[in-house]
Amino acid sequence: MFSKTFGCTRMIYNYYLDKRIKLYEEEKITFGYTKCANDLTILKKEKGFLQEVDSISLQQALRHLDTAFQNFFKNQKTRFPNFKSKKNNHNSYTTVCVNNNIKLENGMIALPKIGKVKVKQHRDIPEHYILKSVTVSQTPSGKYFASILFEYEEEITEKELESFLGQDTTGELKRN
């Protein structure tokens, strides 16, 4: 199911990148996120396999594409969005927590359309943290990782510096 989701999100990204390029070249029409998202519902009816994966991950692919375009137009150093290659062996997709569709408990993470997956959690999550999104990625070696984004209300308190390693040429102290 992970492979299918990786493939579908890549397909959606490439499909709408191609569509945005062609519409602009032929008719000088910009096809933004909202138009793409509305068109996605029609595309999902035409291509049934898109309904088998998490719909939010497909919408996130559209958001990533839109962000790539916005960055291109805002920053002169940013390159034009590229097509995602099937041959790239680093896959990933992002899904957002909506109506508690993602849960992290008892060494398991429950993901939409995937179900429960065993995880190695490397730190405890305080109860007042709010789960926002998960990015699932696969490394070239075939290992899967889940990067989980939380929101919290507390302010971070700065610690008093106790020892220093050295001083750089600007006179700024480097901490140990």
Side-chain angles (χ1 to χ4, degrees):
M1 191 53 114
F2 285 130
S3 293
K4 189 180 281 190
T5 307
F6 295 145
C8 289
T9 55
R10 181 183 59 248
M11 187 219 116
I12 291 298
Y13 186 95
N14 289 341
Y15 178 86
Y16 284 102
L17 175 56
D18 182 58
K19 190 167 189 164
R20 287 179 78 156
I21 292 169
K22 285 180 180 172
L23 278 171
Y24 187 77
E25 286 175 350
E26 295 168 4
E27 303 173 29
K28 302 292 185 222
I29 296 173
T30 52
F31 202 68
Y33 170 77
T34 306
K35 290 179 183 176
C36 288
N38 291 336
D39 192 61
L40 178 60
T41 57
I42 297 164
L43 185 65
K44 285 174 67 175
K45 290 175 184 168
E46 293 173 10
K47 300 185 184 296
F49 63 91
L50 291 174
Q51 294 180 357
E52 297 173 17
V53 299
D54 176 24
S55 62
I56 296 172
S57 65
L58 301 179
Q59 292 167 4
Q60 285 301 113
L62 293 178
R63 287 195 189 279
H64 291 307
L65 176 62
D66 195 55
T67 300
F69 269 104
Q70 288 177 16
N71 290 341
F72 171 71
F73 290 117
K74 285 180 185 175
N75 187 350
Q76 294 175 349
K77 294 180 182 179
T78 306
R79 295 184 349 204
F80 190 80
N82 290 332
F83 288 94
K84 305 289 184 193
S85 173
K86 191 181 271 190
K87 295 177 183 174
N88 183 357
N89 54 9
H90 185 87
N91 300 305
S92 68
Y93 77 90
T94 302
T95 187
V96 178
C97 186
V98 179
N99 296 330
N100 267 350
N101 62 342
I102 303 171
K103 293 182 181 155
L104 183 66
E105 55 193 13
N106 302 328
M108 305 286 275
I109 186 166
L111 296 168
K113 299 277 184 155
I114 302 282
K116 290 184 178 182
V117 180
K118 190 175 182 180
V119 294
K120 287 185 181 177
Q121 191 173 330
H122 65 88
R123 67 177 75 153
D124 292 326
I125 311 300
E127 285 185 34
H128 59 281
Y129 280 29
I130 302 164
L131 195 146
K132 298 303 275 184
S133 69
V134 176
T135 299
V136 177
S137 57
Q138 182 185 23
T139 63
S141 66
K143 292 182 180 180
Y144 291 95
F145 292 90
S147 299
I148 306 169
L149 176 68
F150 287 92
E151 177 182 61
Y152 61 92
E153 295 292 325
E154 291 180 11
E155 286 187 36
I156 298 173
T157 56
E158 289 190 30
K159 291 187 175 183
E160 184 70 30
L161 299 177
E162 296 174 9
S163 62
F164 297 95
L165 183 60
Q167 193 170 9
D168 69 7
T169 57
T170 62
E172 194 173 303
L173 294 174
K174 299 288 184 179
R175 43 180 160 165
N176 186 7

